[in-house]
Amino acid sequence: GYLTWEEFHAVLEDERVKTYLATLEIDAQQTEKLFDMLDDGDRQISVHEFVRGAMRLKGHARAQDAAIIMNDITRILKKFEHLEEALAILQAQKDQVSKDRARL
């Protein structure tokens, strides 16, 4: 299953969950940032995303800070990939217009 932001936020209110995350040395104080670090961008967290993210975040604050940066970089790279795709489409359209004008 998946957890949405709202479900995730509600789960983190449970003291047992807070205790569990504390044993993993994961700071759950900033729930939205934690959700963003675990999420792959679809605004839902799967079991796989949670386990993978929890293992990445486990440890001292430095590890969690590094994970935040890695997550931000991954999202930025995805945005650049989309931008690159859009630019390639625009270039192809421009080339087609140039060919069409040359035929006139």
Side-chain angles (χ1 to χ4, degrees):
Y2 291 87
L3 285 177
T4 64
W5 156 244
E6 292 79 14
E7 294 166 330
F8 182 77
H9 183 69
V11 167
L12 286 183
E13 296 299 316
D14 186 324
E15 288 303 318
R16 295 173 297 177
V17 174
K18 289 179 184 178
T19 302
Y20 174 71
L21 291 175
T23 62
L24 293 176
E25 299 177 6
I26 295 175
D27 179 13
Q29 296 300 317
Q30 296 180 342
T31 56
E32 189 166 7
K33 194 63 173 171
L34 178 60
F35 182 88
D36 288 342
M37 288 186 297
L38 298 174
D39 179 32
D40 66 2
D42 62 0
R43 300 304 293 163
Q44 298 180 43
I45 297 176
S46 67
V47 172
H48 174 72
E49 288 172 325
F50 180 81
V51 171
R52 182 184 51 159
M55 297 316 301
R56 243 185 25 216
L57 296 173
K58 184 179 176 185
H60 303 287
R62 285 188 187 153
Q64 194 164 350
D65 292 340
I68 291 169
I69 293 168
M70 287 176 12
N71 188 308
D72 289 344
I73 289 171
T74 300
R75 288 174 190 232
I76 290 168
L77 286 174
K78 283 182 182 180
K79 287 181 181 184
F80 274 117
E81 288 170 0
H82 291 294
L83 181 60
E84 186 176 42
E85 291 169 5
L87 287 173
I89 291 169
L90 287 173
Q91 183 63 46
Q93 290 173 345
K94 177 187 167 281
D95 293 345
Q96 186 61 45
V97 167
S98 295
K99 286 180 187 177
D100 291 346
R101 283 188 181 164
R103 283 189 260 165
L104 296 175

